[in-house]
Amino acid sequence: MQTVFSIGVDALAYGMVLFVISIGLSVTMGLMRVVNLAHGAFAMIGGYIASYAARDLGLAYAVAVMLAVAGTILIAIPIERLLYRRIYGQPELTQVLMTIGITFCIIGIANYVFGPTLKTIPTPETLREPVSLGFRTVSSHRLFVIACGAAVALGLWYFIERTAFGVKLRAAVDNAAMAAALGVRTQVVYAVSFAVAVGLAAFGGVVGAELLPIEPYYALRYMVTFLVVVSVGGAGSIPGALAACLLLGAIDTTGRYLMPEFGEFFFYLAVIAIVWLFPRGLAGRAK
Amino acid sequence: MAMLSNSDTLSVTSDRRARLTRDAVGVLVILALGVAGYVLFPNNLALLTRITAIALLVLSLDLVTGYCGVATLGHAALFGAGAYGAGIAAAHFGITDPVAMLAVGIIAGSIAGLISGVVVLRAHGLPQLVLSIAIIHLAHEAANKASGWTGGSDGLSGIMPDAVFGVWQFDLWGRTAYVFGIVLLVVTFVLLRQIVRSPFGMLCRGIRQDPVRIRAMGGSVHGTLIRMYIISGAVAGAGGALNAISTQVVGLDSLSFTLSAEALVMLVLGGTGSLYGALLGTVTFLWFEDVVSAANPFHWLTIVGALLIAVVLFAPKGLYGSLAAYFERRGRKNP
């Protein structure tokens, strides 16, 4: 029972981290139709900035998180303007090559600047103590992560479904040319969504650093995980992405607990099975 | 049909002769480069043999990506299957005749091609890409896990190929392996030229340009792509087997995502949809890698990334495509 419970908590926390990081990818992919393999690299940049701020500069955790989000967005803006702009609407292969090139560059630079070792982000005291739920105690960090994921999901839902910007965003996702003709400034919509996506990636990278440790090959190692979430959930769908994250988080965590010697074998097997069964994603629409 | 016939028109005798001449020139150029490599870099034959093996992988990727338009990041699975197939045959079953090892590699590669073709072609776009990445990771984990057969992360050693046809012994300098590789490459190249220009190859190009139209014409899109995937697997398997025979060890890196991605980089650098482009890209990339990583191994990944971005921005047709376009323009200016 204890095992089932801790698997459940860990799976939920892992799924929420995946959700926070990949939801931005899902939204931008649905909006801009760019296969962005470099998304994990932005999460990694966020993790590095937070680690530098909290460990080397000794700043508070909350400040480090904010710095990481802001810093990553600052780094991402020129990349978007100079490189991503040119691949909107291009064939998939071109997009894959460009974004994988960006990923390789970021990995190489991170390796050069920060070295090949694992980076930790020191968490404040309150997040390190276990919390009693009455019948069980759980790590408060896990609870914090789960709460962050839930907050992001709710916030995004409100942002997309209930605000004026969300209306424009959905219009641009459905038909960018038509939205532009009706006076929606799609360039602004694109830029804001890209910034939000990158910021969320950085946030997820920092919050989830205990589950997905920050190191130079982070971007490559979890690239497939983030892409899987999007393709399983269906690009642009928040409920789809949430369902995919929780499902994949559960599969991966259970596999690690019960059969650690098989590594990620079952995870990839599940990925193939799920994509095989739902080639358009759980909540995907026909093209 | 107009879009299919603009580059290749069938059944014109003089045209066919011109193409045969061009193929002969291509083969001669490969042979000349092979001989030049042998004479100029006698101490570097291991690198040249590796280039030959990877060239087979990139050619096979070109068949799928360049001719059929299937974007895949898991093509090393086919190469690795060939390498492990040949290696396991030699290390566990005592099949040490190099030609037999090659045959085993080709069969293993074809089977891997069939499997990954069936899986990858199930979806389109992003899910397709995800499937291909999942395949290569799955193959990597499986090979790592089955260490009794594959040697796991230590690599599979104990591969001792016999002399080729009982005459040419594999020597310390890798001369036999090199000649073996070049002959294999030339034979493959000639066969592939025939395949890509056959009606089957034309059908594949048609599918890349417009699958709906091919289906409307009565062609089987899925069946054709699967067949091309099997051929591609055979070629990649031959490359893997060559790698196993020449280095006498098979490592997990032959089943890695990085190798898949690098093969794609080489193909795009050279130019997709052209066998010459694939060869040019491989030679350029691996030669460049050798030079740069000898100078500074640390920045290799950064440079590959920058190279990739530069190719996408400035030479989207690849080296061969850009060169061909340049000469065509010049030819038109002063006839």
PDB file of all heavy atoms in Angstrom, chain B residues 159-174:
ATOM      1  N   ILE B 159      34.797 -10.428 -32.559  1.00  0.00           N
ATOM      2  CA  ILE B 159      34.428 -10.635 -33.958  1.00  0.00           C
ATOM      3  C   ILE B 159      35.717 -10.800 -34.754  1.00  0.00           C
ATOM      4  O   ILE B 159      36.523  -9.875 -34.830  1.00  0.00           O
ATOM      5  CB  ILE B 159      33.629  -9.437 -34.490  1.00  0.00           C
ATOM      6  CG1 ILE B 159      32.404  -9.201 -33.620  1.00  0.00           C
ATOM      7  CG2 ILE B 159      33.232  -9.649 -35.942  1.00  0.00           C
ATOM      8  CD1 ILE B 159      31.736  -7.884 -33.872  1.00  0.00           C
ATOM      9  N   MET B 160      35.918 -11.981 -35.291  1.00  0.00           N
ATOM     10  CA  MET B 160      37.166 -12.253 -36.030  1.00  0.00           C
ATOM     11  C   MET B 160      36.833 -12.699 -37.437  1.00  0.00           C
ATOM     12  O   MET B 160      36.710 -13.891 -37.699  1.00  0.00           O
ATOM     13  CB  MET B 160      37.957 -13.374 -35.314  1.00  0.00           C
ATOM     14  CG  MET B 160      38.498 -12.966 -33.965  1.00  0.00           C
ATOM     15  SD  MET B 160      39.887 -11.863 -34.165  1.00  0.00           S
ATOM     16  CE  MET B 160      40.116 -11.354 -32.462  1.00  0.00           C
ATOM     17  N   PRO B 161      36.662 -11.772 -38.370  1.00  0.00           N
ATOM     18  CA  PRO B 161      36.312 -12.206 -39.715  1.00  0.00           C
ATOM     19  C   PRO B 161      37.458 -12.948 -40.400  1.00  0.00           C
ATOM     20  O   PRO B 161      38.631 -12.619 -40.199  1.00  0.00           O
ATOM     21  CB  PRO B 161      35.986 -10.896 -40.438  1.00  0.00           C
ATOM     22  CG  PRO B 161      36.477  -9.813 -39.584  1.00  0.00           C
ATOM     23  CD  PRO B 161      36.773 -10.328 -38.232  1.00  0.00           C
ATOM     24  N   ASP B 162      37.086 -13.985 -41.198  1.00  0.00           N
ATOM     25  CA  ASP B 162      38.081 -14.714 -41.995  1.00  0.00           C
ATOM     26  C   ASP B 162      38.527 -13.848 -43.166  1.00  0.00           C
ATOM     27  O   ASP B 162      38.044 -12.736 -43.363  1.00  0.00           O
ATOM     28  CB  ASP B 162      37.456 -15.999 -42.559  1.00  0.00           C
ATOM     29  CG  ASP B 162      37.162 -16.987 -41.464  1.00  0.00           C
ATOM     30  OD1 ASP B 162      37.803 -16.864 -40.405  1.00  0.00           O
ATOM     31  OD2 ASP B 162      36.284 -17.844 -41.665  1.00  0.00           O
ATOM     32  N   ALA B 163      39.426 -14.430 -43.954  1.00  0.00           N
ATOM     33  CA  ALA B 163      39.855 -13.732 -45.161  1.00  0.00           C
ATOM     34  C   ALA B 163      38.699 -13.670 -46.155  1.00  0.00           C
ATOM     35  O   ALA B 163      37.845 -14.552 -46.191  1.00  0.00           O
ATOM     36  CB  ALA B 163      41.034 -14.466 -45.784  1.00  0.00           C
ATOM     37  N   VAL B 164      38.665 -12.593 -46.966  1.00  0.00           N
ATOM     38  CA  VAL B 164      37.620 -12.448 -47.965  1.00  0.00           C
ATOM     39  C   VAL B 164      37.853 -13.485 -49.065  1.00  0.00           C
ATOM     40  O   VAL B 164      38.935 -13.541 -49.655  1.00  0.00           O
ATOM     41  CB  VAL B 164      37.639 -11.037 -48.561  1.00  0.00           C
ATOM     42  CG1 VAL B 164      36.465 -10.849 -49.502  1.00  0.00           C
ATOM     43  CG2 VAL B 164      37.615  -9.991 -47.482  1.00  0.00           C
ATOM     44  N   PHE B 165      36.858 -14.305 -49.349  1.00  0.00           N
ATOM     45  CA  PHE B 165      36.945 -15.415 -50.329  1.00  0.00           C
ATOM     46  C   PHE B 165      38.130 -16.314 -50.027  1.00  0.00           C
ATOM     47  O   PHE B 165      38.691 -16.953 -50.924  1.00  0.00           O
ATOM     48  CB  PHE B 165      37.070 -14.872 -51.758  1.00  0.00           C
ATOM     49  CG  PHE B 165      35.900 -14.035 -52.174  1.00  0.00           C
ATOM     50  CD1 PHE B 165      36.088 -12.751 -52.646  1.00  0.00           C
ATOM     51  CD2 PHE B 165      34.605 -14.532 -52.058  1.00  0.00           C
ATOM     52  CE1 PHE B 165      35.011 -11.984 -53.009  1.00  0.00           C
ATOM     53  CE2 PHE B 165      33.523 -13.765 -52.435  1.00  0.00           C
ATOM     54  CZ  PHE B 165      33.718 -12.487 -52.904  1.00  0.00           C
ATOM     55  N   GLY B 166      38.574 -16.337 -48.767  1.00  0.00           N
ATOM     56  CA  GLY B 166      39.699 -17.175 -48.392  1.00  0.00           C
ATOM     57  C   GLY B 166      41.025 -16.679 -48.912  1.00  0.00           C
ATOM     58  O   GLY B 166      42.050 -17.363 -48.798  1.00  0.00           O
ATOM     59  N   VAL B 167      41.075 -15.506 -49.520  1.00  0.00           N
ATOM     60  CA  VAL B 167      42.319 -15.032 -50.129  1.00  0.00           C
ATOM     61  C   VAL B 167      42.886 -13.827 -49.392  1.00  0.00           C
ATOM     62  O   VAL B 167      44.043 -13.833 -48.966  1.00  0.00           O
ATOM     63  CB  VAL B 167      42.089 -14.664 -51.616  1.00  0.00           C
ATOM     64  CG1 VAL B 167      43.409 -14.220 -52.267  1.00  0.00           C
ATOM     65  CG2 VAL B 167      41.494 -15.848 -52.363  1.00  0.00           C
ATOM     66  N   TRP B 168      42.022 -12.785 -49.224  1.00  0.00           N
ATOM     67  CA  TRP B 168      42.548 -11.530 -48.672  1.00  0.00           C
ATOM     68  C   TRP B 168      42.302 -11.462 -47.163  1.00  0.00           C
ATOM     69  O   TRP B 168      41.163 -11.291 -46.718  1.00  0.00           O
ATOM     70  CB  TRP B 168      41.897 -10.344 -49.374  1.00  0.00           C
ATOM     71  CG  TRP B 168      42.277 -10.270 -50.816  1.00  0.00           C
ATOM     72  CD1 TRP B 168      43.491  -9.903 -51.325  1.00  0.00           C
ATOM     73  CD2 TRP B 168      41.448 -10.579 -51.928  1.00  0.00           C
ATOM     74  NE1 TRP B 168      43.466  -9.967 -52.688  1.00  0.00           N
ATOM     75  CE2 TRP B 168      42.225 -10.383 -53.100  1.00  0.00           C
ATOM     76  CE3 TRP B 168      40.138 -11.011 -52.071  1.00  0.00           C
ATOM     77  CZ2 TRP B 168      41.724 -10.594 -54.364  1.00  0.00           C
ATOM     78  CZ3 TRP B 168      39.641 -11.230 -53.345  1.00  0.00           C
ATOM     79  CH2 TRP B 168      40.424 -11.026 -54.469  1.00  0.00           C
ATOM     80  N   GLN B 169      43.348 -11.579 -46.396  1.00  0.00           N
ATOM     81  CA  GLN B 169      43.261 -11.524 -44.942  1.00  0.00           C
ATOM     82  C   GLN B 169      43.033 -10.076 -44.493  1.00  0.00           C
ATOM     83  O   GLN B 169      43.555  -9.148 -45.116  1.00  0.00           O
ATOM     84  CB  GLN B 169      44.593 -12.034 -44.378  1.00  0.00           C
ATOM     85  CG  GLN B 169      44.518 -12.518 -42.959  1.00  0.00           C
ATOM     86  CD  GLN B 169      43.790 -13.853 -42.847  1.00  0.00           C
ATOM     87  OE1 GLN B 169      43.966 -14.714 -43.670  1.00  0.00           O
ATOM     88  NE2 GLN B 169      42.964 -13.996 -41.828  1.00  0.00           N
ATOM     89  N   PHE B 170      42.260  -9.900 -43.416  1.00  0.00           N
ATOM     90  CA  PHE B 170      42.105  -8.549 -42.855  1.00  0.00           C
ATOM     91  C   PHE B 170      43.379  -8.193 -42.105  1.00  0.00           C
ATOM     92  O   PHE B 170      43.809  -8.901 -41.207  1.00  0.00           O
ATOM     93  CB  PHE B 170      40.900  -8.487 -41.923  1.00  0.00           C
ATOM     94  CG  PHE B 170      39.612  -8.436 -42.664  1.00  0.00           C
ATOM     95  CD1 PHE B 170      38.898  -9.592 -42.900  1.00  0.00           C
ATOM     96  CD2 PHE B 170      39.136  -7.236 -43.165  1.00  0.00           C
ATOM     97  CE1 PHE B 170      37.708  -9.543 -43.618  1.00  0.00           C
ATOM     98  CE2 PHE B 170      37.949  -7.183 -43.874  1.00  0.00           C
ATOM     99  CZ  PHE B 170      37.244  -8.348 -44.103  1.00  0.00           C
ATOM    100  N   ASP B 171      44.008  -7.087 -42.497  1.00  0.00           N
ATOM    101  CA  ASP B 171      45.315  -6.763 -41.938  1.00  0.00           C
ATOM    102  C   ASP B 171      45.204  -5.645 -40.923  1.00  0.00           C
ATOM    103  O   ASP B 171      44.162  -5.025 -40.741  1.00  0.00           O
ATOM    104  CB  ASP B 171      46.277  -6.377 -43.062  1.00  0.00           C
ATOM    105  CG  ASP B 171      45.694  -5.309 -43.943  1.00  0.00           C
ATOM    106  OD1 ASP B 171      44.478  -5.421 -44.287  1.00  0.00           O
ATOM    107  OD2 ASP B 171      46.392  -4.365 -44.285  1.00  0.00           O
ATOM    108  N   LEU B 172      46.309  -5.376 -40.281  1.00  0.00           N
ATOM    109  CA  LEU B 172      46.364  -4.399 -39.205  1.00  0.00           C
ATOM    110  C   LEU B 172      46.095  -2.989 -39.700  1.00  0.00           C
ATOM    111  O   LEU B 172      45.575  -2.147 -38.973  1.00  0.00           O
ATOM    112  CB  LEU B 172      47.757  -4.480 -38.566  1.00  0.00           C
ATOM    113  CG  LEU B 172      47.921  -3.873 -37.192  1.00  0.00           C
ATOM    114  CD1 LEU B 172      46.958  -4.535 -36.229  1.00  0.00           C
ATOM    115  CD2 LEU B 172      49.347  -4.067 -36.729  1.00  0.00           C
ATOM    116  N   TRP B 173      46.443  -2.722 -40.954  1.00  0.00           N
ATOM    117  CA  TRP B 173      46.307  -1.350 -41.470  1.00  0.00           C
ATOM    118  C   TRP B 173      44.911  -1.097 -42.051  1.00  0.00           C
ATOM    119  O   TRP B 173      44.632  -0.007 -42.493  1.00  0.00           O
ATOM    120  CB  TRP B 173      47.358  -1.097 -42.550  1.00  0.00           C
ATOM    121  CG  TRP B 173      48.745  -1.177 -41.987  1.00  0.00           C
ATOM    122  CD1 TRP B 173      49.447  -0.184 -41.392  1.00  0.00           C
ATOM    123  CD2 TRP B 173      49.567  -2.335 -41.953  1.00  0.00           C
ATOM    124  NE1 TRP B 173      50.655  -0.655 -40.970  1.00  0.00           N
ATOM    125  CE2 TRP B 173      50.765  -1.971 -41.301  1.00  0.00           C
ATOM    126  CE3 TRP B 173      49.422  -3.655 -42.386  1.00  0.00           C
ATOM    127  CZ2 TRP B 173      51.815  -2.865 -41.091  1.00  0.00           C
ATOM    128  CZ3 TRP B 173      50.458  -4.543 -42.183  1.00  0.00           C
ATOM    129  CH2 TRP B 173      51.639  -4.144 -41.541  1.00  0.00           C
ATOM    130  N   GLY B 174      44.106  -2.139 -42.090  1.00  0.00           N
ATOM    131  CA  GLY B 174      42.753  -1.976 -42.590  1.00  0.00           C
ATOM    132  C   GLY B 174      42.675  -1.850 -44.101  1.00  0.00           C
ATOM    133  O   GLY B 174      41.703  -1.302 -44.621  1.00  0.00           O
TER     134      GLY B 174
END
